[in-house]
Amino acid sequence: MWLADKIVPAPREVRLAGLFTALPGVALLVLGVLLLVAPGTSDAPSNNLLAEAAFYALLAVAVLGCAAGLGFGHTWARSPGVVFALITAGVGWYLTGPSGRPVFGVPVILLGLLILVLLFRQPARAWSLGQREGESEEEAARRGGMAGRAAQHEKDL
């Protein structure tokens, strides 16, 4: 059961944030594939299209990796998840304002904000700090959070 060993207990908010973070990753992957499938719709040279498609594919892999990290409950994925959520909201703002496409932009903004809210709710913060029950965030930070909890566990063994 190697997959079961990779899953770490995490709050529902974190797992939902991972699910919603996967949506922009899938969209980037689809965009990269569309650039390769329909190259005749652009005036750009073919080598530029290949580079652009490779860029979108690489970014999609990063976003999907972060989404998987959140889904599996790994604390390292929270910070990149926040960054990707901010970028998603920014893309939505650009679609809404300068591009004049609010039908597409507003849902993208809402998706980015939803991911941010999920990652900053109290259960997600407590999880990322390794906060024990009845312990304040300040006490968990002084103790060293997850690293402090792991060190204490090793010491107890």
Side-chain angles (χ1 to χ4, degrees):
M1 285 240 138
W2 64 273
L3 186 59
D5 295 336
K6 304 281 184 208
I7 299 174
V8 180
R12 183 183 69 223
E13 287 87 349
V14 174
R15 297 196 191 282
L16 285 172
L19 178 69
F20 291 127
T21 301
L23 295 176
V26 170
L28 285 166
L29 200 57
V30 168
L31 180 61
V33 169
L34 285 176
L35 282 172
L36 293 176
V37 172
T41 60
S42 174
D43 296 334
S46 64
N47 60 346
N48 289 355
L49 285 176
L50 290 176
E52 191 174 348
F55 173 76
Y56 288 131
L58 185 62
L59 190 56
V61 167
V63 173
L64 291 171
C66 173
L70 288 170
F72 286 129
H74 295 288
T75 55
W76 61 262
R78 185 172 181 254
S79 293
V82 168
V83 172
F84 291 138
L86 290 170
I87 291 171
T88 300
V91 168
W93 172 84
Y94 185 80
L95 283 169
T96 301
S99 292
R101 304 270 182 151
V103 172
F104 299 112
V106 171
V108 173
I109 290 172
L110 293 176
L111 176 65
L113 292 177
L114 174 65
I115 295 167
L116 283 172
V117 166
L118 289 171
L119 289 175
F120 280 102
R121 291 205 47 190
Q122 201 284 326
R125 286 193 332 269
W127 164 78
S128 69
L129 281 172
Q131 192 175 352
R132 296 177 181 147
E133 194 170 327
E135 184 179 45
S136 71
E137 288 184 7
E138 292 80 19
E139 291 168 339
R142 273 195 303 274
R143 180 177 42 79
M146 292 295 274
R149 181 184 282 184
Q152 183 64 38
H153 180 70
E154 289 293 322
K155 198 185 311 180
D156 291 342
L157 293 177

